[in-house]
Amino acid sequence: QSALTQPASVSGSPGQSITISCTGTSGDIGTYNLVSWYQQHPGKAPKLMIYEVINRPSGVSNRFSGSKSGNTASLTISGLQAEDEAHYYCCSYAGTYNWVFGGGTKLTVL
Amino acid sequence: EVQLVESGGGLVQSGGSLRVSCAASGFTFSSHSINWVRQAPGKGLEWVSYISATGSSVYYADSVKGRFTISRDNAKNSLYLQMNSLRDEDTAVYYCARTVKYAFDMWGQGAMVTVSS
């Protein structure tokens, strides 16, 4: 399984919205509505932000939203805040209890 | 408190073996499948292995298949990863992560494994 493709970095100013894309294949994102997104601050464990493409776990801000079209999933963060600065990773179920992650995107809040 | 806590990381020579553990508390461990996910220094996340709630089904990434073995002891609320024939590229922080709806909803703090040649 090849890693999903994410931009290496994105940036935005406080209050703005940004979108991070995640491109896979017909064998993962294209087949399964089982895309999840993780936020990771330096030196910390990842935190689940979105699951099943669009769902937010309890406690995650509604400023975070997910979507999918074809083989590409996206994470949108609206109303950017300084605390959103982190690395973000997408992940897709790839069948037979295998998962594939994206390479990660560093979000900088200007 | 609901948590996962890894232990057993350390420095090992290339070709050597190491076992990392993950202790669960605060939830019904035996009802959940669990995974190992690793992160090489400065790199992204890589899924490593999955074990079902009962331990009857296990799966591995191609990069570790035949060298790593995942297991669990539900009576002890513990997960294990036995790593043999270690290579430099296995150097990483190893996280245990609970599966819920095909996502990883709870993570431990990680255990650092360093393979030195």
Side-chain angles (χ1 to χ4, degrees):
Chain A
Q1 280 287 344
S2 298
L4 307 175
T5 300
Q6 298 181 233
S9 62
V10 297
S11 62
S13 300
Q16 288 186 331
S17 295
I18 63 95
T19 296
I20 301 171
S21 63
C22 171
T23 301
T25 69
S26 57
D28 39 64
I29 293 177
T31 294
Y32 302 100
N33 289 322
L34 296 171
V35 176
S36 50
W37 289 89
Y38 302 86
Q39 177 192 66
Q40 187 179 36
H41 288 109
K44 301 295 187 182
K47 175 186 176 184
L48 177 65
M49 305 302 285
I50 296 287
Y51 66 98
E52 293 178 327
V53 179
I54 61 170
N55 295 316
R56 280 186 310 276
S58 174
V60 172
S61 171
N62 60 8
R63 297 185 298 106
F64 292 82
S65 62
S67 62
K68 189 189 96 166
S69 177
N71 295 340
T72 298
S74 298
L75 173 72
T76 298
I77 308 174
S78 60
L80 268 180
Q81 299 179 0
E83 68 208 47
D84 299 333
E85 185 163 295
H87 279 88
Y88 291 85
Y89 294 91
C90 61
C91 179
S92 177
Y93 182 67
T96 320
Y97 298 99
N98 276 246
W99 284 261
V100 60
F101 281 92
T105 298
K106 180 177 173 54
L107 168 62
T108 300
V109 180
L110 302 171
Chain B
E1 183 182 1
V2 180
Q3 63 179 357
L4 296 168
V5 179
E6 298 91 340
S7 61
L11 176 64
V12 60
Q13 284 195 323
S14 181
S17 298
L18 194 68
R19 188 178 85 158
V20 290
S21 303
C22 171
S25 59
F27 67 98
T28 306
F29 180 70
S30 60
S31 296
H32 292 272
S33 59
I34 309 287
N35 302 262
W36 288 101
V37 178
R38 69 183 180 183
Q39 186 170 36
K43 303 297 184 181
L45 301 169
E46 179 189 15
W47 173 80
V48 172
S49 185
Y50 162 98
I51 187 166
S52 63
T54 62
S56 60
S57 297
V58 297
Y59 296 90
Y60 301 94
D62 288 344
S63 57
V64 305
K65 201 171 293 182
R67 300 187 299 121
F68 289 13
T69 302
I70 190 172
S71 62
R72 65 191 296 162
D73 185 338
N74 285 345
K76 295 183 177 180
N77 290 339
S78 293
L79 173 76
Y80 308 101
L81 186 67
Q82 177 67 42
M83 301 180 288
N84 299 330
S85 302
L86 281 162
R87 307 166 179 167
D88 291 355
E89 56 264 35
D90 296 319
T91 293
V93 174
Y94 284 75
Y95 294 100
C96 55
R98 187 177 74 173
T99 328
V100 171
K101 296 188 176 182
Y102 295 89
F104 309 120
D105 75 319
M106 180 191 305
W107 298 65
Q109 88 288 351
M112 183 70 211
V113 173
T114 303
V115 183
S116 172
S117 54

